[in-house]
Amino acid sequence: MAQRNYSALTKQRLHVQSGDCCAYPECPLRLFPEEGNNADICHIEALSPGGPRYNPDSSDEERNAFPNLMLLCKTHHGIIDQVDTAGQPYYNTHQLKQMKQARRDWFEASRATLFSIKTPSLLSKIVHSLSSLQAEPKPANVSHPFKIDAKIDFNALSSRHYGIIHKYSVYYHSVECLYNELEPAQKASLLEAINDIYLSCQRPSISSDDLWDNVESKLIEKLNNESKHEYSEPLEWCVNIIMVDAFMRCKILEEPKV
């Protein structure tokens, strides 16, 4: 039987992004009061066969990874896993991931001042860390001009990532300035390292939304484990900036056909 096995980084990300609140809409319950712990780590796609939304194409590692988990209070954990008379859960995978993203967006908006104060210097450190990662050299790829919405539509990204891409695309020129501080070979290595992560996360039938989430998690793991960047809210925000920049440079997801 599959076991619940969460890394320390995964649990920390879940805790930070929850903002101490259950992800279920309008739930007022604090998850981490002084007198106890009301939080349940919930699987979006079930860990074991027969569970709600079980996906046989996922591995146990993927089922226990951050993109497939959310924090709920115990009451709403039970509610999302209820099934109808046909045995189908009332909440599908897409609805739960939208719910998780909505909580993340709300908490991020509430911390906007912290974001503006701490992000620039950390972003510079992350760019330099990523430039030192080893990447597989690839043939030069000729990219064609495209509009952001066209690439979003071509890859069938949902509204969950549409908002992220448009929110962070405004940092493109800031990232370009940081990249221009690097040697050309360092910049190329950085972008190819991100592309390597993207390619390693691809598998048959995976949606673009889930692929994006998996790349984000792998990138945060690399920064945490290999570059020794301690996890924090600003780190998460900086990774979003890097992800969206890589999307615009066609290192993540596919370029629209011309």
Side-chain angles (χ1 to χ4, degrees):
M1 179 180 290
Q3 300 293 316
R4 293 175 178 266
N5 183 21
Y6 315 123
S7 71
L9 176 59
T10 291
K11 289 188 284 189
Q12 188 177 12
R13 290 184 71 194
L14 288 167
H15 188 160
V16 168
Q17 289 191 21
S18 74
D20 194 22
C21 295
C22 171
Y24 197 87
E26 300 183 10
C27 177
L29 189 66
R30 287 187 59 197
L31 293 180
F32 306 102
E34 293 182 3
E35 64 274 13
N37 183 348
N38 296 321
D40 274 0
I41 297 179
C42 312
H43 287 81
I44 296 172
E45 293 178 348
L47 181 60
S48 303
R53 300 168 297 275
Y54 180 75
N55 180 2
D57 295 326
S58 295
S59 66
D60 286 347
E61 180 182 0
E62 289 171 325
R63 296 184 188 105
N64 281 317
F66 175 82
N68 190 49
L69 303 172
M70 61 192 300
L71 283 189
L72 294 168
C73 67
K74 300 180 185 304
T75 297
H76 286 119
H77 186 183
I79 288 174
I80 68 160
D81 286 348
Q82 288 179 351
V83 297
D84 60 22
T85 54
Q88 295 300 312
Y90 286 111
Y91 287 90
N92 61 38
T93 298
H94 176 72
Q95 289 172 312
L96 294 181
K97 290 189 175 182
Q98 289 282 65
M99 191 184 295
K100 177 182 176 181
Q101 185 63 47
R103 170 57 61 191
R104 177 176 176 175
D105 289 344
W106 173 85
F107 183 57
E108 185 177 304
S110 71
R111 308 284 280 179
T113 301
L114 179 64
F115 175 82
S116 63
I117 292 172
K118 292 189 174 182
T119 296
S121 60
L122 179 59
L123 182 61
S124 177
K125 292 176 183 177
I126 287 174
V127 165
H128 282 81
S129 294
L130 290 175
S131 70
S132 66
L133 295 179
Q134 297 298 313
E136 291 293 327
K138 301 181 182 67
N141 182 39
V142 178
S143 184
H144 301 89
F146 62 87
K147 293 183 177 181
I148 294 177
D149 284 355
K151 185 170 180 179
I152 291 172
D153 291 342
F154 182 77
N155 288 278
L157 283 164
S158 72
S159 58
R160 184 157 57 92
H161 289 101
Y162 179 93
I164 291 173
I165 291 167
H166 279 276
K167 178 165 54 177
Y168 290 104
S169 62
V170 298
Y171 292 94
Y172 179 86
H173 294 293
S174 298
V175 176
E176 179 66 15
C177 289
L178 291 174
Y179 285 175
N180 288 338
E181 296 175 2
L182 305 172
E183 296 293 330
Q186 288 179 301
K187 176 181 176 181
S189 181
L190 184 157
L191 292 171
E192 292 308 327
I194 296 173
N195 185 243
D196 285 347
I197 296 172
Y198 163 68
L199 295 174
S200 73
C201 290
Q202 286 184 319
R203 57 177 171 79
S205 76
I206 190 171
S207 71
S208 294
D209 284 303
D210 289 346
L211 183 54
W212 180 287
D213 291 342
N214 291 346
V215 173
E216 179 190 40
S217 280
K218 292 291 184 184
L219 189 53
I220 288 174
E221 287 171 11
K222 273 190 173 291
L223 287 167
N224 185 255
N225 297 331
E226 297 180 24
S227 301
K228 306 303 180 185
H229 285 278
E230 185 177 350
Y231 179 76
S232 64
E233 298 161 56
L235 178 88
E236 188 94 33
W237 300 330
C238 288
V239 168
N240 273 293
I241 292 172
I242 295 292
M243 288 277 295
V244 172
D245 179 83
F247 171 84
M248 295 168 68
R249 297 175 192 269
C250 284
K251 297 301 178 181
I252 296 174
L253 301 183
E254 302 305 309
E255 182 179 333
K257 304 299 183 185
V258 295

